[in-house]
Amino acid sequence: MTTLYNFKQITPVPTGGDFLDIVLSKTQRKTPTVIHANFAISRIRNFYMRKVKFTQESFDERLKAILDEFPKLDDIHPFYSDLMNVLYDKDHYKLALGQMNTARHLIDQVGKDYVRLLKFGDSLYRCKQLKKAAMGRMATIMRRQKDSLAYLEQVRQHLARLPSIDPNTRTLLVCGYPNVGKSSFMNKITRADVDVQPYAFTTKSLFVGHMDYKYLRWQVIDTPGILDHPLENRNTIEMQSITALAHLRCCVLYFIDLSERCGYSIKEQVSLFHSIKPLFANKPVMLIINKIDAMKIEDVSAEDRQLLDDIVEKDKAQMLGMSCYTDEGVMNVKQTACDRLLQARVDAKMKGQKINDVLNKIHLTKPVPRDDNPRLPHIPEGALTKPKYDAQDPNRPKLEKDLEAEAGGAGVYNIDLKKRYLLESEEWKHDIIPEIWEGHNVADFIDSDIQEQLDELEREEERLEAEGYYKSDDEELNSEDEALQSTANAIRERNSITQIEARLKTVKNRPTLPKTAIKRKVSEVADHFESLGLDGTEVENRARSRAPKRARSASRGESVARSASMAARPSGGEGSVVRDRTTLGVRNVKQKLESEKVRQLSMRNANLHAKRGESDRAIQTKMPKHLFSGKRKSGSTDRR
């Protein structure tokens, strides 16, 4: 229901003065405000035409929102339509909405007329006066609607306070004379909290509570008390109950107070039941005898008992007793009422036309006997007389729990999961090789005669060896082959030594000499050795022999030529060829141009953002001075 009739979401309706202030201030804020007489006349006309059009559209938008949000009595459920007629007077409500619609059309017509006149304005003064006249007429129309706006705001506030009643769901409706215990019963079976007082007409409007029964959600409606007098004499409070009884599909719980503490006799309460009985048509009715703690059904007089029995017999009403004070029979009344309503809803569906469409889609298959042999149900012997497990019986079968206790308890006993395997041989139960391994049958990959075949192969090998099948004459190598083999061995040895030396050169943690030792001269090293009592001559000679010797050039021109040739030689070493890096991996000039075009396209996004490359994330100036300093002028906040 909340999705269909959510009256709490209706927008508040402003008063007549507030309505004008909202629209005119919006026009002032949303349209240009500066105009000069030296502007072109077309520009002046467009300026004032825009003002008039915007004001007319603002009025139209607000009035249309009011007309759309308020419910239309012809489009909503009859229960809500009649309830609004009872509470607000249907004619007055329609008249107020009609005046809003008329004002909307009048304002639209005024806007169109003055826009047409503004097209022929010949000066700034004439156009301004036409604009003032247009807005003045629109304001006059809205000032005349102040009473309708005030009335609609009162209706909106009252609609927001109405309970959310779903006219189509499972409903229990409680009715009867005032002060017979209707609200007390509702507080008992639902989560509602209805005010309960010891005087009549405590409940002045409809109250809704919810409960759960058989995993279904039910709503319970507490109605104001009804008095037994003609319909035209009933007030607004009573008419709410009459409206609910007339339009809601529900189970009616009619409460009767046998103790007559409510202020009305049993005869008057029965008379009220018969007067509103036409509203109970096609609804399950239950006669609830309340306050049985003060007066039981058996204690009433014979005349009053006959009145109650007539209701049960003639009107097919079920009579139940209960007491909200002692909670006696309250749950029984709730369950019985829910069951009766469920059965009534099922019967109504069975009588409708939709059931035929459902039954046409259902086909019940009945098996046909294939012969005349009777096949009675069979129950195995002992299935129903099987003795229960008795822990004290010494002859009972041993369980794993008993075996565990005998073997030393938990942590000592290890259950044998293979002892119940059903195999051809008992010896196979504890076989190490399983039957199935990773989804494959192990027997498919094992030959049962593997041992015999292996023995036969060994006998054949012995026979071939005895016959000399594997024997061969070793040919002596000649001198050329020996020389070739020795050369190959020497090459292999030299390669291994070269690899070891290369590894030693690349080791990063090799010991290095201190800088002081590197800066020492050969003569200083020789003197140091002599101070230690050693001969430094050999060390000095070896160092001088290993020093690089600079080749003398024949002339200065030769050295200059050599240096120029060295500078011109590429870094790849002697014999390398200089190539353009942009042509590497490209077959021809066409392919090179295509690759250059793709490269430029990939750089377009970065170029648009003035990036140096794909990894450029720098923000050059996070707070530009021209944007964050000085006085801000009127206008848009967006600097772009």
Side-chain angles (χ1 to χ4, degrees), residues 348-568:
K349 290 181 180 179
M350 294 296 292
K351 293 177 182 178
Q353 297 296 327
K354 291 183 179 180
I355 190 65
N356 296 327
D357 299 336
V358 176
L359 292 177
N360 290 336
K361 300 176 183 178
I362 299 175
H363 175 66
L364 181 62
T365 302
K366 184 177 181 180
V368 179
R370 63 175 180 266
D371 51 29
D372 297 334
N373 296 333
R375 291 177 174 83
L376 302 177
H378 173 67
I379 300 176
E381 296 182 4
L384 300 178
T385 60
K386 186 176 181 180
K388 295 182 179 180
Y389 178 81
D390 186 7
Q392 304 298 330
D393 186 7
N395 297 325
R396 60 181 174 80
K398 285 189 177 183
L399 305 179
E400 290 293 336
K401 187 176 182 180
D402 303 328
L403 297 176
E404 181 183 3
E406 293 176 0
V412 179
Y413 174 72
N414 189 13
I415 185 173
D416 186 7
L417 300 176
K418 299 181 179 180
K419 65 182 181 180
R420 298 187 184 276
Y421 283 6
L422 301 177
L423 302 176
E424 294 183 6
S425 176
E426 293 292 330
E427 300 175 355
W428 296 354
K429 288 184 178 180
H430 299 88
D431 235 345
I432 298 176
I433 301 178
E435 287 190 6
I436 303 297
W437 179 259
E438 295 183 355
H440 300 285
N441 193 348
V442 179
D444 295 341
F445 302 92
I446 293 179
D447 193 349
S448 59
D449 302 333
I450 187 69
Q451 189 63 34
E452 297 180 3
Q453 295 177 8
L454 182 60
D455 294 342
E456 184 178 354
L457 283 175
E458 288 181 352
R459 288 194 297 270
E460 181 142 3
E461 287 290 328
E462 292 176 358
R463 181 177 61 80
L464 292 174
E465 188 175 355
E467 294 177 354
Y469 180 77
Y470 296 110
K471 290 182 180 181
S472 60
D473 297 333
D474 296 334
E475 298 179 357
E476 296 182 359
L477 297 176
N478 53 20
S479 59
E480 294 181 0
D481 294 338
E482 289 180 357
L484 184 62
Q485 188 173 3
S486 60
T487 304
N489 293 336
I491 293 172
R492 291 195 194 97
E493 184 178 358
R494 181 58 184 168
N495 289 340
S496 61
I497 293 173
T498 304
Q499 292 176 0
I500 294 171
E501 290 177 352
R503 291 195 193 101
L504 291 176
K505 289 181 181 180
T506 56
V507 174
K508 294 183 180 180
N509 58 352
R510 62 181 181 274
T512 57
L513 292 174
K515 292 183 178 180
T516 55
I518 296 172
K519 291 181 179 180
R520 287 180 182 178
K521 297 180 179 180
V522 179
S523 58
E524 293 178 358
V525 177
D527 294 341
H528 180 65
F529 271 83
E530 289 179 358
S531 65
L532 296 177
L534 301 174
D535 186 11
T537 307
E538 185 179 355
V539 176
E540 185 176 2
N541 295 334
R542 185 171 60 207
R544 294 186 185 280
S545 64
R546 292 189 177 185
K549 297 179 181 180
R550 185 170 56 183
R552 289 182 180 175
S553 57
S555 62
R556 182 173 178 81
E558 184 181 352
S559 62
V560 172
R562 184 182 293 109
S563 61
S565 64
M566 291 295 292

Side-chain angles (χ1 to χ4, degrees), residues 147-251:
D147 295 335
S148 298
L149 291 172
Y151 171 75
L152 289 175
E153 174 60 16
Q154 294 295 324
V155 170
R156 184 200 67 81
Q157 293 178 3
H158 199 278
L159 278 175
R161 292 192 291 267
L162 284 180
S164 298
I165 299 175
D166 189 350
N168 301 314
T169 192
R170 296 163 292 275
T171 307
L172 302 181
L173 195 144
V174 184
C175 64
Y177 261 98
N179 206 23
V180 295
K182 302 186 296 297
S183 300
S184 300
F185 172 72
M186 182 170 177
N187 290 341
K188 291 288 183 182
I189 66 172
T190 68
R191 293 181 285 272
D193 187 14
V194 186
D195 188 20
V196 177
Q197 298 295 338
Y199 50 81
F201 286 104
T202 305
T203 304
K204 297 182 180 180
S205 61
L206 300 175
F207 283 90
V208 179
H210 294 85
M211 66 177 186
D212 294 327
Y213 179 69
K214 289 187 176 180
Y215 303 102
L216 299 173
R217 177 57 60 91
W218 300 70
Q219 72 177 2
V220 184
I221 300 178
D222 181 19
T223 61
I226 308 173
L227 299 180
D228 187 15
H229 48 229
L231 183 65
E232 58 271 9
N233 295 335
R234 289 194 169 99
N235 57 19
T236 303
I237 297 176
E238 295 176 276
M239 287 303 297
Q240 295 182 53
S241 301
I242 299 299
T243 303
L245 285 169
H247 293 290
L248 295 179
R249 298 172 53 195
C250 59
C251 177

